[in-house]
Amino acid sequence: MQKFFHDAVEFVPILLQGVWLTIVVTIGSLLLSTALGLVWALMRVSGIGILVGLSAALINVIRGIPIIVLLFYIYFVMPDFGIALSALQAAIIGLGIAYSAYQAENFRAGIEAIDKGQIEAAQTIGMGWWLTMRRVVLPQAVRIILPPYGNIMIMMLKDSSQASTITVAELALQGKLIASSTFKNTSVFTLVALMYLTMSIPLILLVRHFENKANRK
Amino acid sequence: MIELRDVHKSFGKVEVLKGITASVAKSEVVCIIGPSGSGKSTILRCINGLESYDRGEISVEGARVDQGDRSIVAIRTQVSMVFQRFNLFPHRTALENVIEGPLYVKKEPREAAIARGRALLAQVGLADKAEVHPPKLSGGQQQRVAIARALAMQPKAILFDEPTSALDPELVGEVLSVMRKLADDGMTMVVVTHEMGFARDVADRVLFIDGGVIVEQGAAKSVLNQPQHPRTQDFLRRVLHPL
């Protein structure tokens, strides 16, 4: 145990650099996936045939490709088309696109759960589609969307470790690098696991808070 | 003011409106009665473009009602609607429900919209409920807020789709009395209802609809007191003397 604490004092500062990148990747891809997911979802519920079809197709393609392959594609293949991204940019974009499919399905479920009478009431006071969404549907859908959204946040935090496969030195990769140069696998990976857990727990509590709030309504 | 000429409407293979021709004059109160599934609500929903219609023509003050056209927004701000299940926005207070249209559709200044919203809530007897959210109101109160919300658009006519059908019996009166006051003030109203007492006392005209056609129409008292058509007679007997 004493040895572990000794290792911890030595490795934590290095691992914290990885934590920083983990947070950057998670927040960056969370924002991107939320924005894209909202666009896909709004296309899906727009009632305009071509947009509905396009969105459904996009979501299925994205869902059908493993995140790691998407990351490889963006980082290693896009340069062939003249788009060279840094590893961090590629990670954020790859995870953002991958998760936009799940975000979209969650948003769509929330939007479609709103009573049709609400939309009709908005229409009868002269609201157009966008105003109805913004003032009537989305504010009510948020309550339904939030608990699963919190779960997606937790999954994204953990899946940000996949960025290590395209050389982003986030927490998992930082741990692997230290472990392979010191052979202190037990200490290093225990620390890495604890750090992920420390970041997840506030999110888990947040999800519980959302769920309680949604249940009370 | 509202004209329907030979309006047909089908849902899939079921034709629910089979050639409806009717008109509503300014300040007139017309009640539509008839059995469930006869197409009463569909008529209202076609008038303000919540449903499209297949054939014929509906016009409001000369403007053709076309669900797919941009002009439908202007028509909807002139012809408000009150729903059976109120359809208030649960995430906004009573006052916010009332001023939503004036603020965001008509772009009225906030102060003016709030002042008028409060006056409208007072008019329907809910001045003290302005800051309350709909789920905390009774059905009758919610429906009165919905009427205030419809009035806030300063419509030329209001369509009522079974406004008291979802209410506990003891709450029906408060809604009907608000509607009666509106009628007395000269509001043009089309009311789908099962409240025969209201139809007899307040309506100028009654349309009896069955199977997607107007079976009988005329002055409220004559249709309700001396129905001519056997189907009207049968319907009224069942409604007025269910036992």
Side-chain angles (χ1 to χ4, degrees):
Chain A
M1 201 62 181
Q2 212 179 0
K3 214 169 124 245
F4 175 75
F5 283 118
H6 183 263
D7 289 343
V9 171
E10 190 184 345
F11 298 143
V12 162
I14 311 171
L15 288 174
L16 279 177
Q17 295 167 13
V19 167
W20 169 243
L21 272 177
T22 291
I23 291 172
V24 169
V25 170
T26 305
I27 292 178
S29 51
L30 183 69
L31 293 177
L32 181 64
S33 67
T34 303
L36 287 178
L38 195 58
V39 172
W40 308 152
L42 289 175
M43 282 165 66
R44 193 73 190 268
V45 300
S46 66
I48 300 167
I50 183 163
L51 293 183
V52 174
L54 191 63
S55 149
L58 264 170
I59 289 171
N60 283 333
V61 169
I62 295 169
R63 267 203 300 211
I65 299 174
I67 294 176
I68 202 167
V69 175
L70 207 58
L71 290 173
F72 287 165
Y73 210 87
I74 290 171
Y75 190 52
F76 297 121
V77 179
M78 291 316 266
D80 290 350
F81 297 97
I83 303 170
L85 298 166
S86 73
L88 182 62
Q89 288 168 338
I92 289 173
I93 292 172
L95 281 164
I97 291 175
Y99 268 90
S100 71
Y102 304 108
Q103 299 277 27
E105 291 296 87
N106 180 31
F107 293 155
R108 180 169 72 100
I111 290 168
E112 287 180 346
I114 301 303
D115 181 27
K116 203 162 163 280
Q118 290 290 308
I119 296 164
E120 293 186 344
Q123 287 177 339
T124 54
I125 57 172
M127 287 188 172
W129 186 85
W130 175 240
L131 200 55
T132 302
M133 277 293 155
R134 191 164 65 82
R135 296 288 309 168
V136 177
V137 177
L138 292 178
Q140 295 185 65
V142 163
R143 283 201 190 103
I144 303 164
I145 288 168
L146 273 181
Y149 187 83
N151 282 323
I152 291 176
M153 282 164 68
I154 296 168
M155 281 158 57
M156 291 190 82
L157 172 70
K158 295 185 294 179
D159 272 343
S160 68
S161 59
Q162 302 208 40
S164 64
T165 58
I166 54 168
T167 74
V168 177
E170 45 65 69
L171 182 52
L173 183 54
Q174 202 74 298
K176 196 176 150 223
L177 293 174
I178 299 173
S180 57
S181 60
T182 63
F183 301 110
K184 291 180 173 169
N185 289 320
T186 312
S187 298
V188 171
F189 288 120
T190 306
L191 283 170
V192 167
L194 284 174
M195 283 175 151
Y196 274 113
L197 200 58
T198 311
M199 288 188 279
S200 299
I201 284 171
L203 295 177
I204 292 167
L205 293 177
L206 192 65
V207 171
R208 191 186 297 168
H209 171 73
F210 288 153
E211 280 170 350
N212 287 342
K213 221 172 150 185
N215 288 341
R216 245 183 291 137
K217 288 287 164 185
Chain B
M1 187 189 158
I2 300 170
E3 301 277 346
L4 295 93
R5 219 176 46 238
D6 194 31
V7 174
H8 290 255
K9 164 77 183 171
S10 299
F11 290 110
K13 283 185 177 162
V14 185
E15 191 173 31
V16 283
L17 300 182
K18 300 172 183 167
I20 299 286
T21 299
S23 66
V24 180
K26 193 171 178 310
S27 293
E28 197 178 25
V29 177
V30 174
C31 279
I32 303 178
I33 61 170
S36 303
S38 56
K40 311 183 296 284
S41 294
T42 307
I43 295 178
L44 291 195
R45 295 167 60 81
C46 285
I47 292 175
N48 79 344
L50 286 180
E51 300 283 356
S52 60
Y53 50 97
D54 306 328
R55 266 198 293 141
E57 183 166 285
I58 301 177
S59 64
V60 173
E61 293 219 296
R64 188 171 186 278
V65 177
D66 178 356
Q67 191 195 28
D69 194 85
R70 285 188 154 272
S71 62
I72 195 67
V73 172
I75 289 172
R76 282 177 180 150
T77 56
Q78 290 172 32
V79 184
S80 283
M81 182 138 171
V82 172
F83 298 89
Q84 182 177 357
R85 283 169 51 244
F86 332 127
N87 296 356
L88 291 176
F89 307 132
H91 57 305
R92 307 202 184 282
T93 64
L95 180 63
E96 286 167 347
N97 265 277
V98 175
I99 63 176
E100 185 75 13
L103 276 185
Y104 292 94
V105 177
K106 292 192 148 182
K107 313 252 186 249
E108 287 178 19
R110 192 166 189 93
E111 302 303 316
I114 290 175
R116 213 159 49 76
R118 287 192 187 281
L120 285 169
L121 284 175
Q123 188 184 330
V124 297
L126 293 172
D128 56 333
K129 302 289 185 191
E131 318 304 336
V132 180
H133 283 83
K136 297 221 163 79
L137 295 171
S138 74
Q141 290 170 333
Q142 289 192 50
Q143 194 60 299
R144 285 185 283 152
V145 173
I147 293 173
R149 177 173 70 179
L151 287 171
M153 298 307 288
Q154 297 175 305
K156 291 176 177 156
I158 303 184
L159 312 174
F160 292 85
D161 187 5
E162 300 200 30
T164 58
S165 296
L167 297 178
D168 290 338
E170 80 268 24
L171 302 177
V172 168
E174 62 190 64
V175 171
L176 290 183
S177 75
V178 166
M179 290 168 62
R180 176 194 287 264
K181 247 190 293 173
L182 282 182
D184 291 345
D185 293 345
M187 176 59 76
T188 309
M189 294 161 59
V190 184
V191 186
V192 170
T193 187
H194 294 294
E195 294 294 331
M196 296 305 150
F198 176 84
R200 184 181 294 123
D201 295 348
V202 181
D204 299 301
R205 258 181 329 119
V206 166
L207 309 184
F208 172 68
I209 294 193
D210 192 9
V213 295
I214 298 175
V215 174
E216 184 167 351
Q217 61 174 313
K221 287 195 174 58
S222 75
V223 173
L224 294 171
N225 294 339
Q226 289 113 29
Q228 301 300 311
H229 198 285
R231 269 150 84 190
T232 321
Q233 291 165 357
D234 184 49
F235 173 75
L236 287 172
R237 196 166 46 241
R238 285 165 198 260
V239 172
L240 297 173
H241 309 288
L243 296 178

